[in-house]
Amino acid sequence: MARQIPTDFNHPPFKLADVGAVLGVILIWGLNFVTMKYALRDFAPFQLGAARYVFAFLPLVFFIPRPRLPAGWIVAGGLAQLGQFAFLFLALRDGMTAAMASVILQTQLFFTTLLGVALLGESLAKKGVYALLLAAVGLVCFAVSAVQGGGAITLTGLLLNLAAAGMWAFANIVARRAQRAHPDFDALQYVVWISLVPIVPFIALAWALDPAEVRWNWLGARDSSWASVVFLGLVATVAAYAMWTQLLKRHAASRVAPFSLGVPVVGLVAAIVLLGETVTALQWLGSGLVVAALVMFMGWRR
């Protein structure tokens, strides 16, 4: 019989399998940003987007049935994913380090909250506003660092990264609306089938916008770059989301969500160790403020 971690009587206990899933998701999503940097050595951003979703969809379409949802929800979720990773891959190519991307992308929580208030009629406690303001100060630190230069991030990269966080938030709102309309839909089926939607748009964007001399570079991609694509598609997209979804099914979101704070920590360490990236004092300050805002915000929501 599996050991259980003691907890209060109002919630089911975390089993060892749950702890393993939490640690697995944190490690996978934290390494995600370094993996993207590796893949972008040989793939243009839109090419990488297409390849990621091909590997997320094609191997599993033969085993995972279509979710019991109207097609509109699947298309909306897929287009949100298209925007998220188009902006993120462009940011990582055009002036954003893997270390800072792992932190800045977590601002999706604040964007999700603001969109929830605007579109879903959700409420925001007054103390939650303080967390938003603290995060805004952290983003100002990143902006000043980008303008000053010398920290390997640019203002363009920062804005693209924030756009990616905003699109992730929109994807969260789509999923929430779908859950309200169809409470019994299977989340894993949803993740797999929305992965179909971005493939053709990413291919079209790559063909239309990539310079002619780089359109076929992916054919000569290194084995490590292809391994990175497989990791992004199957491990970071499907496996990690499946584990995270199972955690959310067994435990309240207020208990699961705080563990996501481990992602930027792993992302920072991995980028520094594996890519040799440096983090300036101003970027450390901005990271600390954003993470502190996330801790405050999650605590107040709980």
Side-chain angles (χ1 to χ4, degrees):
M1 186 173 180
R3 283 175 46 210
Q4 296 178 342
I5 294 177
T7 186
D8 59 76
F9 295 107
N10 297 321
H11 302 286
F14 267 74
K15 298 180 180 180
L16 285 180
D18 296 329
V19 176
V22 165
L23 295 176
V25 169
I26 290 173
L27 183 61
I28 291 168
W29 281 348
L31 292 173
N32 203 27
F33 299 91
V34 171
T35 307
M36 292 175 193
K37 278 287 193 181
Y38 278 135
L40 286 168
R41 297 175 304 173
D42 295 318
F43 290 83
F46 299 137
Q47 294 171 356
L48 180 57
R52 173 194 177 109
Y53 284 103
V54 165
F55 279 96
F57 177 73
L58 285 184
L60 297 175
V61 66
F62 303 106
F63 310 101
I64 305 296
R66 183 178 176 273
R68 289 179 292 180
L69 278 173
W73 291 115
I74 296 174
V75 171
L79 291 177
Q81 292 267 305
L82 169 70
Q84 176 187 341
F85 286 99
F87 286 129
L88 181 58
F89 293 158
L90 287 170
L92 288 168
R93 184 195 67 179
D94 295 333
M96 179 55 60
T97 62
M100 292 300 98
S102 67
V103 175
I104 295 169
L105 198 62
Q106 302 310 312
T107 60
Q108 60 85 17
L109 176 62
F110 305 120
F111 287 115
T112 300
T113 300
L114 294 174
L115 288 175
V117 171
L119 302 178
L120 301 181
E122 297 177 351
S123 60
L124 175 63
K126 183 178 180 180
K127 291 182 178 180
V129 176
Y130 300 148
L132 291 172
L133 293 175
L134 186 61
V137 176
L139 292 178
V140 170
C141 292
F142 290 125
V144 173
S145 174
V147 171
Q148 288 180 344
I153 71 172
T154 65
L155 192 57
T156 298
L158 175 61
L159 293 175
L160 287 168
N161 208 154
L162 288 173
M167 291 304 300
W168 186 359
F170 181 71
N172 291 338
I173 297 300
V174 171
R176 284 186 188 178
R177 292 285 298 271
Q179 182 71 39
R180 286 185 180 183
H182 306 274
D184 61 339
F185 85 88
D186 184 279
L188 177 59
Q189 294 174 356
Y190 177 75
V191 169
V192 170
W193 279 83
I194 65 172
S195 298
L196 168 65
V197 177
I199 295 174
V200 172
F202 264 129
I203 292 173
L205 287 169
W207 188 260
L209 300 180
D210 286 344
E213 60 270 18
V214 304
R215 281 181 186 164
W216 302 104
N217 281 2
W218 58 275
L219 290 174
R222 284 162 279 196
D223 291 342
S224 58
S225 295
W226 279 111
S228 297
V229 170
V230 174
F231 178 89
L232 292 172
L234 287 178
V235 181
T237 302
V238 178
Y241 274 108
M243 289 190 289
W244 191 251
T245 299
Q246 289 303 315
L247 286 167
L248 290 172
K249 282 185 175 182
R250 287 195 289 267
H251 304 281
S254 61
R255 300 185 70 208
V256 175
F259 290 113
S260 65
L261 293 171
V263 173
V265 176
V266 174
L268 275 166
V269 173
I272 292 170
V273 173
L274 299 177
L275 296 178
E277 292 183 354
T278 58
V279 180
T280 67
L282 203 53
Q283 290 170 7
W284 277 118
L285 176 60
S287 300
L289 290 171
V290 169
V291 172
L294 288 168
V295 172
M296 293 165 60
F297 191 79
M298 288 180 178
W300 280 325
R301 284 181 65 91
R302 186 180 179 192

